[in-house]
């Protein structure tokens, strides 16, 4: 395989009901971890992996995301006049070249598969990456991001790929769960995939988390608009139907994943990212220790 992956889809159309009231008028993806919104971490992870076209599938009340990735002349002018170079670098450094960011509205939150399908015309029949910003994956110290690891592995396998991690048995009903085949290092052949099984019915504890590389055939399956678990159009169902047609592997990434769609995961992410920062760790760490005394 030598195809390059240059496009990434960011589905940000969900309602974020687990985080109410914070997400009543603010998109979940704009919640900050330390000083950056979740969506910016996902975009930076994609750029690190070689992505140059960024496709956001948004919904009602998500315009703050569009504004975040646009120039703010008022802020930039003020920072310039005041000589605040660090702030200027932060807001200008995150800008993408004109025309490389697209926004599509998912008119109803009919599920993750439906959100991805909404971006079909932008994929141009090429393999694409999908990143869920609320699954924040912190690279190991000195390591690379999850998507970059997956793209490197996908160069060898092609087909479909999902990021995966082992979860506690009682948690299987919160994830897509894999029926594992042959294991080769971080890669596991996916022989079956089922959305949110009860622990007693789960084929394993290997769970899909929010990073995918999709071959174009998945869009043909999504097109059928079949509703699955929760009455939603699930990406896992379409991926499962491609088994036997194209290679399908899960990649057990190096790094730490935080479920920032949940309050606990979000708090843990903030602490973990703050502790990895030179400007915060030496003051935060003693304070955290003092809480236990
Ligand atoms: P979640 O299952 O976390 O749903 O979606 P949600 O609506 O965002 O949050 P809760 O459960 O109500 O708190 C997983 C991912 O799929 C996207 C979400 O934005 C999130 O990144 N998604 C989900 C869509 O883009 N559209 C949908 O219709 C559903």
């Amino acid at each position: 395989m030598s195809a390059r992956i240059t496009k990434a889809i960011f589905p940000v159309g969900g309602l974020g009901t687990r985080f109410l009231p914070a997400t009543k008028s603010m998109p979940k993806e704009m919640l900050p971890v330390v000083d950056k919104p979740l969506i910016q971490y996902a975009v930076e992870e994609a750029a690190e992996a070689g992505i140059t076209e960024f496709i956001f599938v948004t919904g009602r009340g998500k315009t703050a995301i569009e504004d975040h990735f646009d120039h703010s002349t008022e802020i930039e002018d003020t920072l310039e006049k005041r000589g605040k170079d660090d702030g200027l670098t932060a807001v200008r450094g995150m800008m993408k070249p004109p025309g490389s960011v697209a926004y599509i509205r998912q008119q109803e939150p009919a599920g993750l598969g439906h959100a991805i399908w909404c971006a079909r015309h932008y994929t141009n029949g090429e393999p694409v990456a999908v990143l869920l910003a609320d699954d924040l994956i912190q690279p190991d110290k000195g390591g690379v991001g999850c998507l970059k690891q997956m793209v490197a592995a996908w160069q060898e396998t092609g087909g479909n790929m999902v990021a995966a991690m082992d979860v506690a048995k009682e948690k299987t009903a919160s994830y897509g769960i894999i029926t594992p085949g042959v294991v080769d290092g971080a890669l596991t052949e996916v022989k079956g995939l089922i959305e949110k099984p009860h622990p007693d019915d789960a084929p394993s504890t290997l769970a899909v988390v929010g990073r995918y590389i999709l071959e174009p055939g998945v869009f043909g399956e999504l097109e059928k608009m079949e509703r699955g678990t929760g009455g939603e159009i699930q990406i896992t169902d379409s991926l499962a139907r491609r088994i036997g047609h194209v290679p399908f592997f899960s990649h057990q990434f190096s790094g730490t994943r935080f479920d920032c769609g949940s309050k606990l995961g979000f708090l843990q992410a903030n602490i973990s990212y703050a502790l990895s920062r030179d400007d915060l760790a030496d003051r935060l760490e003693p304070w955290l220790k003092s809480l236990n005394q």
Side-chain angles (χ1 to χ4, degrees):
M1 287 294 304
S2 60
R4 286 187 59 223
I5 300 175
T6 58
K7 299 176 198 293
I9 300 171
F10 301 86
V12 291
L15 295 177
T17 54
R18 280 173 296 159
F19 232 118
L20 285 167
T23 48
K24 191 174 171 215
S25 64
M26 183 180 70
K28 163 168 77 172
E29 298 77 9
M30 287 302 292
L31 290 170
V33 169
V34 185
D35 53 7
K36 248 193 303 192
L38 286 169
I39 189 66
Q40 195 176 332
Y41 286 96
V43 164
E44 288 176 1
E45 182 184 326
E48 179 203 24
I51 300 298
T52 52
E53 289 174 64
F54 304 83
I55 307 157
F56 294 79
V57 183
T58 71
R60 289 180 72 78
K62 301 277 180 168
T63 47
I65 296 174
E66 296 183 35
D67 290 339
H68 184 71
F69 289 101
D70 198 0
H71 278 293
S72 166
T73 40
E74 197 186 340
I75 292 175
E76 288 174 38
D77 287 353
T78 308
L79 291 171
E80 202 152 28
K81 273 189 210 124
R82 293 182 186 168
K84 305 232 169 181
D85 295 338
D86 287 356
L88 259 183
T89 311
V91 292
R92 287 194 178 146
M94 55 170 285
M95 293 299 297
K96 297 292 169 211
S100 56
V101 184
Y103 298 94
I104 303 153
R105 277 287 269 259
Q106 184 190 18
Q107 290 140 321
E108 51 163 337
L112 176 58
H114 180 260
I116 294 170
W117 173 80
C118 287
R120 65 201 179 281
H121 296 307
Y122 289 77
T123 64
N124 208 20
E126 296 169 27
V128 290
V130 176
L131 296 94
L132 305 188
D134 45 357
D135 266 341
L136 180 60
I137 302 178
Q138 184 177 26
D140 288 338
K141 205 168 189 289
V144 300
C146 177
L147 189 65
K148 187 168 177 157
Q149 297 169 38
M150 286 173 70
V151 167
W154 182 86
Q155 294 298 335
E156 306 296 322
T157 65
N160 288 310
M161 187 171 284
V162 290
M165 64 181 227
D166 210 27
V167 296
K169 191 161 172 60
E170 64 270 18
K171 297 271 183 207
T172 58
S174 303
Y175 296 91
I177 299 290
I178 291 165
T179 304
V182 175
V183 180
D184 179 10
L187 290 179
T188 299
E189 183 191 4
V190 180
K191 298 187 87 170
L193 190 56
I194 172 170
E195 188 64 29
K196 299 186 172 61
H198 185 276
D200 294 342
D201 306 323
S204 75
T205 50
L206 192 57
V208 176
V209 298
R211 301 291 181 277
Y212 307 77
I213 296 175
L214 307 180
E215 48 84 36
V218 173
F219 287 85
E221 291 297 335
L222 286 170
E223 193 78 40
K224 295 175 187 163
M225 293 287 137
E226 283 175 24
R227 291 188 182 251
T229 307
E232 295 192 338
I233 297 161
Q234 302 284 358
I235 186 64
T236 41
D237 294 339
S238 289
L239 280 166
R241 286 195 289 267
R242 295 295 291 158
I243 293 170
H245 300 284
V246 291
F248 188 4
F249 288 90
S250 69
H251 182 266
Q252 265 177 287
F253 54 90
S254 305
T256 309
R257 175 258 189 181
F258 298 96
D259 175 10
C260 289
S262 78
K263 288 163 202 160
L264 182 63
F266 176 74
L267 290 169
Q268 289 168 331
N270 267 286
I271 291 168
S272 183
Y273 273 79
L275 289 175
S276 73
R277 292 253 306 238
D278 292 341
D279 58 334
L280 293 168
D282 59 349
R283 284 168 293 157
L284 180 62
E285 205 166 355
W287 180 77
L288 285 171
K289 282 190 181 139
S290 76
L291 296 178
N292 288 328
Q293 284 161 7

